[in-house]
Amino acid sequence: MLIYTLSSQPVRMAGPNLPHFDKLAHALIFGVFAYLLAWGLFAGWPALSTGRVLGLTLLCAVVWGGLDELHQWYVPFRQLDPLDLVADGVGALLVVTGWALWRRRGQPADVPS
């Protein structure tokens, strides 16, 4: 709901006047989204492998990012920006990769995660 609400605003949210701050914000927001989604999937379907949960998480984050960009195309004074979608995917990928590495620590090499 937070992502949808933010992207529905007809004006860009104010932020620091830094180069590419909006891309960093996209990566951060979608990283949090990926973390929460992966956490929910692990809790809801403990039998799923780590790889499947994290792959599904990444897919959902990128699809939601694409739908968010499409939605912004129709919001006054907003635009569709493919680089925002890239930032969404990078944020989700960083979190998913970090989670996968964290889940593997301490497990024997022959035990699938």
Side-chain angles (χ1 to χ4, degrees), residues 3-105:
I3 293 171
Y4 182 80
T5 301
L6 290 173
S7 69
S8 295
Q9 303 303 313
V11 293
R12 295 188 68 107
M13 303 302 285
N17 191 15
L18 300 171
H20 308 295
F21 175 77
D22 65 320
K23 305 306 181 252
L24 181 61
H26 271 263
L28 180 65
I29 289 169
F30 274 80
V32 171
F33 172 70
Y35 175 82
L36 294 173
L37 183 57
W39 181 55
L41 289 172
F42 277 122
W45 288 292
L48 285 178
S49 71
T50 300
R52 285 191 179 171
V53 168
L54 296 179
L56 183 59
T57 297
L58 185 59
L59 176 68
C60 287
V62 170
V63 167
W64 186 259
L67 291 172
D68 179 51
E69 287 306 312
L70 240 142
H71 165 251
Q72 285 185 32
W73 196 14
Y74 295 100
V75 175
F77 308 110
R78 298 299 292 263
Q79 63 188 16
L80 185 149
D81 185 354
L83 292 178
D84 285 349
L85 180 57
V86 170
D88 299 342
V90 167
L93 180 63
L94 288 173
V95 167
V96 164
T97 302
W99 195 316
L101 293 172
W102 179 78
R103 297 266 305 178
R104 287 192 157 253
R105 74 181 170 102

